[in-house]
Amino acid sequence: MLAVTGTRKARRATVHDVAAAAGVSRGTVNRVLNGGYVSVDARAAIEAAIAEVGYVPNRAASQLARQRSQAVGFLALEPHSLLLEDPNIGAIMLGANAVLSLADHQMVSLVIDSDRDMQRVGRYLSGGFVDGAIIVSARSHDPITRLIAEIGLPATFVGHPPDLARDIPFVGIDNIGSARAITERLIGTGRERIGMVAAALDRDSGADRLTGFKQALGDRFDPALVADVPLYDYAYGVKGMRALLDREPALDGVFAASDAVAAGALETLREAGRRVPEDVGLVGFDDSSWALRTQPPLSTVHQPARDIGRHAAELVLRQIAGDPVEPSLLLDSPVVWRQSA
C-alpha cells in the first residue's frame, strides 16, 4: 500500500499509481477494471501492479462506468466575466461540441471560479455523471489536474500544465515558437525598444509566450520592459500598457500576450498620443475577433481554437472507447501580419 511516513495519513492508491507501476496507460487500467479486453501480458502486469501498490477498486464507480452517461464535461477555469468575453473559449467549446454531438454525447459545461466551485465540480466528476472531461485554462499545480489523475477519468487538457501526468493527453500550440516568430517579425520592422504586456504567467501559455519573446530579443531583452498582468483581458491590457509607457516613454514596439490585451494596449497608446503603427508597432496573439475589431487590425498569431476543441473531444472519446491515444497534439499557429506593426 502506498503510504507516507511520519504523522501524515496514508494516501489511497489511485488508477494513476497502478498505470505507472504497470507501465501502461490509465485507459488500459480502466479497461481491466471495467471488464474490457486487453492483452494477456497487459492484464498480468496490471494485476501485479494492483497488488504492489495496494489499489482497492471503487465498485460503485466501476458500475457507473459500465452504465455510461453519454456526457462529457467541459471545464473552463476562468473568472465569470472573462469566460463570457474570451472568444477563444467559445470557439474551443463549439469545436468540441460539434464532435461530441456527432458521437451522440452531451456536453456539460462546468465553470470553476472559486474553491467552492472546485469542490462542487470535483464531487460531480467523481460521481460518474460524465464519462470524460475537457479542461481549459488549468494553472500550474491546479487542484483539477491532480483530481483528474486520482480518479482516472478520461480527459484531455487544452494546454499543458507543468504538473500534468504524462499519460493524460493535451492539445495545444507551440506558444514559445509562435511568440518568438511574431517578435522576430516585429524586430524586423526596425523597432529598437520593444516591450511586452505579459499575461497569465501562472499558465503554460502565458509563461511560454514570455519565453518566446525573450528568445527573440536575446541580449536586447530588458526585464524592465515587461509588464506582468494576471489575465488575458482588455482592461489589463490598458493597465499594462500604461505601466510600460511610464517606464519607457520612448517605447516603439509592443508584443501583447493576447489580442484582447493588445486592444487594451492600443487604447492606452491612443490616449498617450502615440500612433500605431507609425510611432509604435503593436502585435497580439490568438487571431481572435478582437484582432479585426481594432483600428488598425492587429498583426497576431493564429490560434486554431475551434480545431483545438475538435481534437480535444476526439481524444476524450477515444479514451472512453478504450482506444490508444497520443500523449500530445500541437497544431499549427502561423503569424498573421496586418496593419498594426
Side-chain angles (χ1 to χ4, degrees), residues 24 36 39 42 70-71 75 79 89 91 93 111 148 157 173 179 194 212 217 227 230 279 297 321 333 338:
V24 299
S39 70
Q70 294 296 110
L75 283 68
I89 294 177
M93 180 183 291
V111 179
I148 293 296
F157 280 69
I173 61 171
I194 300 175
L217 286 171
D279 301 322
S333 48
R338 297 191 178 102

Side-chain angles (χ1 to χ4, degrees), residues 214-245:
K214 291 179 179 178
Q215 289 181 356
L217 286 171
D219 293 340
R220 295 173 56 187
F221 173 72
D222 182 350
L225 297 187
V226 176
D228 175 7
V229 298
L231 298 171
Y232 296 124
D233 176 69
Y234 176 93
Y236 280 115
V238 171
K239 294 176 182 178
M241 192 66 244
R242 285 175 181 163
L244 284 180
L245 288 177

Side-chain angles (χ1 to χ4, degrees), residues 4-17:
V4 293
T5 59
T7 59
R8 294 173 61 190
K9 294 181 180 179
R11 178 173 70 83
R12 182 187 178 110
T14 67
V15 169
H16 177 69
D17 297 321

Side-chain angles (χ1 to χ4, degrees), residues 156-175:
T156 302
F157 280 69
V158 173
H160 184 256
D163 51 331
L164 184 66
R166 287 184 298 175
D167 60 342
I168 300 178
F170 70 92
V171 180
I173 61 171
D174 178 5
N175 282 287

Side-chain angles (χ1 to χ4, degrees), residues 158-216:
V158 173
H160 184 256
D163 51 331
L164 184 66
R166 287 184 298 175
D167 60 342
I168 300 178
F170 70 92
V171 180
I173 61 171
D174 178 5
N175 282 287
I176 293 177
S178 297
R180 184 175 60 244
I182 197 163
T183 303
E184 288 173 345
R185 185 78 179 266
L186 181 59
I187 293 169
T189 64
R191 312 294 171 170
E192 295 292 336
R193 294 291 284 163
I194 300 175
M196 178 179 181
V197 183
L201 295 180
D202 57 347
R203 301 183 217 168
D204 63 296
S205 59
D208 285 352
R209 291 172 197 180
L210 176 56
T211 297
F213 176 73
K214 291 179 179 178
Q215 289 181 356

